[in-house]
Amino acid sequence: QSALTQPPSASGSPGQSVTISCTGSSNDVGGYNYVSWYQQYPGKAPKLIIHEVDKRPSGVPDRFSGSKSGNTASLTVSGLQAEDEADYYCSSHGGSSNFALFGGGTKVTVL
Amino acid sequence: QVQLVQSGAEMKKPGASVKVSCKASGYTFSDYYIHWLRQAPGQGPEWLGYINPKSGGTSYAQRFQGRVIVTRDTSIRTVYMDLSRLRSDDTAVYYCARRGPTFDYWGQGTLVAVSS
């Protein structure tokens, strides 16, 4: 069982938006602005797409956006494209004893 | 460009140890902590620990304390993760990752399979 809770799946048609939630506690997601999101294709390493709640690394399309409210963080993918079909994982700092916590992942399907 | 290149897949028997390497290039090695994570099939990543390449200082997840050791060789810009007393549920892909504000660059992953 993962430390952070994500829905196992989400889907949308090309051009639509999909939002993935990531629920933790006040000891992790709610307590720090160190929430990250990673995109992972089968057999590949995770790729950073959002850090510090809502910051995009260079090269990541602005279709990807992040936010946080209380103990829940969210990733929104706008204008869905076929290449967005992948697994998405959230991560949060969890204090000195749980440096990095992850969610169980959400599989995004583009219909 | 930043690259982290890991050693190849390993097959081990229960009770054995495994050592995975991670060679860094494309940036100042001492400026970024290197972390180790693992991902079991169908699950999210799990954090194991990290090393400060400059000082050699380490920190490990509580559940791996006493079983994992992370070391580095600054002369060849390489970090090592040693996991002992392997069990079948240690079967996973093991990743090294550079920590900037977060895990911004990852190695390609090393499959460690534990089976009798």
Side-chain angles (χ1 to χ4, degrees):
Chain A
Q1 185 142 353
S2 299
L4 306 179
T5 301
Q6 297 180 234
S9 63
S11 62
S13 299
Q16 290 186 331
S17 294
V18 65
T19 296
I20 303 167
S21 61
C22 170
T23 302
S25 72
S26 58
N27 295 320
D28 38 71
V29 174
Y32 305 93
N33 284 327
Y34 286 110
V35 175
S36 301
W37 290 90
Y38 299 88
Q39 178 190 60
Q40 187 177 36
Y41 294 112
K44 299 295 187 183
K47 174 193 171 186
L48 177 67
I49 55 173
I50 295 287
H51 65 95
E52 293 170 269
V53 177
D54 58 5
K55 296 179 172 59
R56 273 189 315 277
S58 173
V60 174
D62 60 6
R63 303 184 292 104
F64 293 91
S65 62
S67 63
K68 189 184 85 165
S69 177
N71 297 337
T72 298
S74 298
L75 172 73
T76 297
V77 186
S78 306
L80 267 175
Q81 298 183 5
E83 68 209 51
D84 299 332
E85 188 161 293
D87 294 322
Y88 293 83
Y89 295 93
C90 64
S91 174
S92 173
H93 184 59
S96 58
S97 60
N98 289 299
F99 188 93
L101 303 172
F102 286 83
T106 299
K107 182 175 181 57
V108 169
T109 301
V110 181
L111 301 171
Chain B
Q1 73 282 18
V2 174
Q3 277 195 307
L4 299 173
V5 180
Q6 299 182 219
S7 50
E10 302 265 10
M11 288 199 64
K12 295 291 181 182
K13 294 197 180 303
S17 296
V18 68
K19 191 167 188 173
V20 182
S21 67
C22 170
K23 184 172 178 61
S25 62
Y27 70 98
T28 302
F29 181 64
S30 58
D31 282 355
Y32 296 86
Y33 288 26
I34 293 291
H35 293 244
W36 286 92
L37 307 97
R38 73 181 189 181
Q39 188 172 25
Q43 296 185 24
E46 178 179 26
W47 179 74
L48 276 70
Y50 70 70
I51 189 165
N52 176 345
K54 184 179 293 185
S55 67
T58 56
S59 179
Y60 304 120
Q62 192 164 9
R63 66 178 295 227
F64 296 104
Q65 288 275 2
R67 275 215 304 147
V68 67
I69 299 174
V70 179
T71 57
R72 94 292 193 212
D73 184 336
T74 56
S75 68
I76 55 171
R77 304 166 59 90
T78 299
V79 174
Y80 303 93
M81 188 280 300
D82 205 315
L83 186 63
S84 60
R85 304 193 299 278
L86 289 168
R87 308 185 294 255
S88 58
D89 62 358
D90 290 319
T91 294
V93 176
Y94 287 73
Y95 293 100
C96 62
R98 191 185 82 161
R99 180 87 181 181
T102 186
F103 303 120
D104 55 0
Y105 288 92
W106 296 59
Q108 83 276 20
T110 297
L111 174 64
V112 175
V114 183
S115 174
S116 54

